[in-house]
Amino acid sequence: MIHLHTTPSGFTIHLGDRLLIAHDAAAPALFVGHGDARMDMYRGNFDIEDYVSERIALRSAQVEGNRVILSASAGSPPLLALEVSDAGLQFEALDGDINRFWLRIAAEANEHVWGGGEQMSYLDLSGRRFPLWTSEPGVGRDKSTEITRLSDLHNKAGGDYWNTNYPQPTWLSSRRYGLHVGTTAYSAFDFRHADFHEIEVWEVPSRIELFAGENLVELVGALSSRFGRQPELPEWVYRGAIIGLKDGENSFARLENMLKAGVEVSGLWCEDWVGLRHTSFGARLFWDWQANDSRYPDLPRRIAELDASGIKFLGYVNPYLAADGPLFAEAEAGGYFATDDAGQTALVDFGEFDCGVVDFTNPAAADWFAERVIGQNMLDFGLSGWMADFGEYLPIDVHLANGVDARLMHNAWPTLWAEVNARAVASRGKTGEALWFMRAGFTGVQAHCPLLWGGDQSVDFSRHDGLVTVICGALSSGLLGNAYHHSDIGGYTSLFGNLRTPELIMRWSEMAAFTPVMRSHEGNRPKDNLQLDQDADVLAHFARMTRLYRTLAPYLRHLSAEAATTGLPVQRPLFLHYETDAQTHAIQDQYLYGADLLVAPVWQAGADSRKVYLPAGPWEQLWSGQTVPGGDWIEAPAPIGFPAVYFNPESRFADLFRQLRAL
């Protein structure tokens, strides 16, 4: 389906009948050059600046069969080779000094593009530039806000709209094609020009893969097949919410009180199972991945008792080891850490404590971590899941066993981290039974990680860092093969006096009831922020939302099975099933839960209604039973406890949906 055609002064490349590249001497599509980058890392945040010393337009193209040799002008030395095949486009630098690459892909009027990994601010990428570099997403993520200004000033951590834990150099177009760049280098997608989309890569990429579909559903299926599909959700997840508590032994008593209040529970998640250390940021975990007997005495017995009652126990792990913990010495003796310029263990400041970086490019180190840490200390100990955190933190100045520059491995690191976790789970025969979740990602993470979470949102309703961003994150990542997404109920980051409100927790809980996994989090400052079990109205509301989630289990099972066989995500942009309706192409604050439920969470403080777009229906309002024809925007009532949810009355699950009215 990929066709290369010679033109009088260049060539064109089509995917089926879609023109993708039009290259000629007057308007070249390909450029190469040289740049010198400055990259500074500060606790997962990056200050990156590039000085491009040379950008050469490749105006001369010599087509030889399916191969094109490109140079600056006729008779000048060749700089780049392009080969076209059914697999896509392959590139080869013919000059060793080249370290920058640009390619322009033809754009059309009114075209929409989506993807770029997990994007938190914009689902439709049109009109903006998106650097693709895994990092902390930032606090506030909006340079016009005070919280972002303060975060930039104090911790270099304010972020911007494009910062994400999970970038991926892949996009989908409303022209029904997909494009993936085969690189782990720093790259960027620029959609600001009306006539073309520009790809920038800080190396010559090995390839660009192209995908086509008769419709967007087919295209999403093809991408999920390429990058990997997750197994169905574990059966135990459908029992209710995973309750996040980090209160030591007192967590069990608090869980019991929540159960008495009617909360449906599938798991108890205690990230502090490894113990705590206290820093200026708040209570931090002790990064040595084994049970802390002082904070959780007799934990194996507690885990067994929970399991007997149908509740799983979950913990926390990341790929770094604190220098003052016992596992550090064991890893250092094995030679499992990344090294510094002197060949010694590289130590990284993670905020008032130092850690070693386990080097997953060393097969022995990856095997040791999978078996010794996750296998023995976690799975054999009785954990049924965990948060696999900090995949985006590989420092760019360390030396790795595989000899590859850390700046080229940085984006690849989340996928290696996911593979280590998946290998450990598979070694115990628990794939599809143990549930672990990551916020960091890159190309190929889909094949290993069974569940994403949206990262560390602020505990507020802000446009670029609050509740609404996790909807965009779920929809964008879902288009690239990540079927399951969820978030911290109530948000995580509380800084500069920004605190949770009862309204925020309740609105977040309402959204979470219509996602694959409900999971709460106490946040980075638990003592300063309202918790689910500290307000009777909040707790009663949350209990009801967990009952909604559990009642919907047959539908979620159906969606999980569908995801495993087709690659369709559980949460879907409206355009995935209504792609001919142009109104749906940029909607990112409401979603389809499967094909039959439409969910429009309230994400602004003080609102008891919101505007909702209903594609051509009919649609039945979940709570009132009123039928609405669809095809237009409506003002939907949404008082607390009754979010704006509509369903297809002809769905085979319609009677199940109607049962929610009685809860």
mmCIF file of all heavy atoms in Angstrom, residues 32-35 53-54 79 93-100 204:
data_model
loop_
_atom_site.group_PDB
_atom_site.id
_atom_site.type_symbol
_atom_site.label_atom_id
_atom_site.label_comp_id
_atom_site.label_asym_id
_atom_site.label_seq_id
_atom_site.Cartn_x
_atom_site.Cartn_y
_atom_site.Cartn_z
ATOM 1 N N VAL A 32 18.391 17.436 7.031
ATOM 2 C CA VAL A 32 19.289 16.867 8.031
ATOM 3 C C VAL A 32 20.208 17.978 8.511
ATOM 4 O O VAL A 32 20.277 19.061 7.909
ATOM 5 C CB VAL A 32 20.117 15.682 7.484
ATOM 6 C CG1 VAL A 32 19.226 14.510 7.125
ATOM 7 C CG2 VAL A 32 20.958 16.122 6.289
ATOM 8 N N GLY A 33 20.925 17.728 9.588
ATOM 9 C CA GLY A 33 21.816 18.752 10.090
ATOM 10 C C GLY A 33 22.539 18.332 11.339
ATOM 11 O O GLY A 33 22.689 17.128 11.631
ATOM 12 N N HIS A 34 22.955 19.343 12.071
ATOM 13 C CA HIS A 34 23.722 19.092 13.286
ATOM 14 C C HIS A 34 23.263 20.055 14.375
ATOM 15 O O HIS A 34 23.006 21.231 14.124
ATOM 16 C CB HIS A 34 25.217 19.285 13.031
ATOM 17 C CG HIS A 34 26.077 18.824 14.166
ATOM 18 N ND1 HIS A 34 26.357 19.614 15.254
ATOM 19 C CD2 HIS A 34 26.687 17.634 14.388
ATOM 20 C CE1 HIS A 34 27.108 18.942 16.102
ATOM 21 N NE2 HIS A 34 27.330 17.735 15.597
ATOM 22 N N GLY A 35 23.137 19.528 15.589
ATOM 23 C CA GLY A 35 22.759 20.350 16.727
ATOM 24 C C GLY A 35 23.559 19.976 17.954
ATOM 25 O O GLY A 35 24.077 18.856 18.067
ATOM 26 N N SER A 53 23.274 24.122 14.625
ATOM 27 C CA SER A 53 24.343 24.806 13.888
ATOM 28 C C SER A 53 24.190 24.654 12.380
ATOM 29 O O SER A 53 24.764 25.434 11.610
ATOM 30 C CB SER A 53 25.709 24.269 14.326
ATOM 31 O OG SER A 53 25.776 22.866 14.143
ATOM 32 N N GLU A 54 23.418 23.650 11.959
ATOM 33 C CA GLU A 54 23.267 23.418 10.526
ATOM 34 C C GLU A 54 21.974 22.670 10.262
ATOM 35 O O GLU A 54 21.677 21.674 10.911
ATOM 36 C CB GLU A 54 24.464 22.604 10.006
ATOM 37 C CG GLU A 54 24.547 22.498 8.505
ATOM 38 C CD GLU A 54 25.829 21.813 8.061
ATOM 39 O OE1 GLU A 54 26.283 20.884 8.769
ATOM 40 O OE2 GLU A 54 26.373 22.184 7.014
ATOM 41 N N LEU A 79 23.869 12.588 1.519
ATOM 42 C CA LEU A 79 23.758 12.740 2.974
ATOM 43 C C LEU A 79 22.792 11.756 3.614
ATOM 44 O O LEU A 79 22.952 11.403 4.783
ATOM 45 C CB LEU A 79 23.320 14.175 3.313
ATOM 46 C CG LEU A 79 24.281 15.287 2.892
ATOM 47 C CD1 LEU A 79 23.668 16.659 3.194
ATOM 48 C CD2 LEU A 79 25.614 15.129 3.593
ATOM 49 N N ALA A 93 21.842 7.414 7.538
ATOM 50 C CA ALA A 93 22.692 8.591 7.406
ATOM 51 C C ALA A 93 23.939 8.221 6.620
ATOM 52 O O ALA A 93 24.607 7.228 6.925
ATOM 53 C CB ALA A 93 23.068 9.122 8.781
ATOM 54 N N LEU A 94 24.270 9.005 5.591
ATOM 55 C CA LEU A 94 25.451 8.752 4.769
ATOM 56 C C LEU A 94 26.607 9.671 5.135
ATOM 57 O O LEU A 94 27.653 9.640 4.488
ATOM 58 C CB LEU A 94 25.088 8.916 3.290
ATOM 59 C CG LEU A 94 23.955 7.995 2.797
ATOM 60 C CD1 LEU A 94 23.656 8.259 1.333
ATOM 61 C CD2 LEU A 94 24.295 6.531 3.039
ATOM 62 N N ASP A 95 26.404 10.459 6.175
ATOM 63 C CA ASP A 95 27.440 11.338 6.710
ATOM 64 C C ASP A 95 27.423 11.175 8.225
ATOM 65 O O ASP A 95 26.396 11.410 8.874
ATOM 66 C CB ASP A 95 27.161 12.793 6.312
ATOM 67 C CG ASP A 95 28.243 13.759 6.773
ATOM 68 O OD1 ASP A 95 28.803 13.563 7.877
ATOM 69 O OD2 ASP A 95 28.522 14.729 6.049
ATOM 70 N N GLY A 96 28.548 10.795 8.796
ATOM 71 C CA GLY A 96 28.600 10.485 10.220
ATOM 72 C C GLY A 96 28.398 11.669 11.130
ATOM 73 O O GLY A 96 28.161 11.490 12.344
ATOM 74 N N ASP A 97 28.473 12.892 10.617
ATOM 75 C CA ASP A 97 28.298 14.074 11.463
ATOM 76 C C ASP A 97 26.832 14.451 11.653
ATOM 77 O O ASP A 97 26.515 15.312 12.472
ATOM 78 C CB ASP A 97 29.044 15.270 10.857
ATOM 79 C CG ASP A 97 30.556 15.116 10.957
ATOM 80 O OD1 ASP A 97 31.012 14.394 11.870
ATOM 81 O OD2 ASP A 97 31.262 15.704 10.117
ATOM 82 N N ILE A 98 25.956 13.834 10.910
ATOM 83 C CA ILE A 98 24.534 14.186 11.009
ATOM 84 C C ILE A 98 23.963 13.679 12.336
ATOM 85 O O ILE A 98 24.100 12.510 12.675
ATOM 86 C CB ILE A 98 23.749 13.574 9.829
ATOM 87 C CG1 ILE A 98 24.145 14.238 8.516
ATOM 88 C CG2 ILE A 98 22.241 13.708 10.053
ATOM 89 C CD1 ILE A 98 23.573 13.554 7.288
ATOM 90 N N ASN A 99 23.321 14.557 13.084
ATOM 91 C CA ASN A 99 22.626 14.133 14.303
ATOM 92 C C ASN A 99 21.265 14.815 14.470
ATOM 93 O O ASN A 99 20.681 14.793 15.557
ATOM 94 C CB ASN A 99 23.487 14.359 15.544
ATOM 95 C CG ASN A 99 23.717 15.829 15.864
ATOM 96 O OD1 ASN A 99 23.258 16.717 15.135
ATOM 97 N ND2 ASN A 99 24.429 16.085 16.949
ATOM 98 N N ARG A 100 20.775 15.437 13.392
ATOM 99 C CA ARG A 100 19.429 16.012 13.410
ATOM 100 C C ARG A 100 18.722 15.617 12.107
ATOM 101 O O ARG A 100 19.343 15.532 11.041
ATOM 102 C CB ARG A 100 19.452 17.534 13.550
ATOM 103 C CG ARG A 100 20.029 18.056 14.872
ATOM 104 C CD ARG A 100 19.128 17.721 16.047
ATOM 105 N NE ARG A 100 19.645 18.284 17.290
ATOM 106 C CZ ARG A 100 20.475 17.657 18.114
ATOM 107 N NH1 ARG A 100 20.939 16.443 17.798
ATOM 108 N NH2 ARG A 100 20.869 18.226 19.241
ATOM 109 N N VAL A 204 19.212 10.270 13.087
ATOM 110 C CA VAL A 204 18.482 9.774 11.921
ATOM 111 C C VAL A 204 17.757 8.513 12.355
ATOM 112 O O VAL A 204 18.397 7.528 12.741
ATOM 113 C CB VAL A 204 19.432 9.485 10.744
ATOM 114 C CG1 VAL A 204 18.668 8.812 9.596
ATOM 115 C CG2 VAL A 204 20.079 10.779 10.262
#
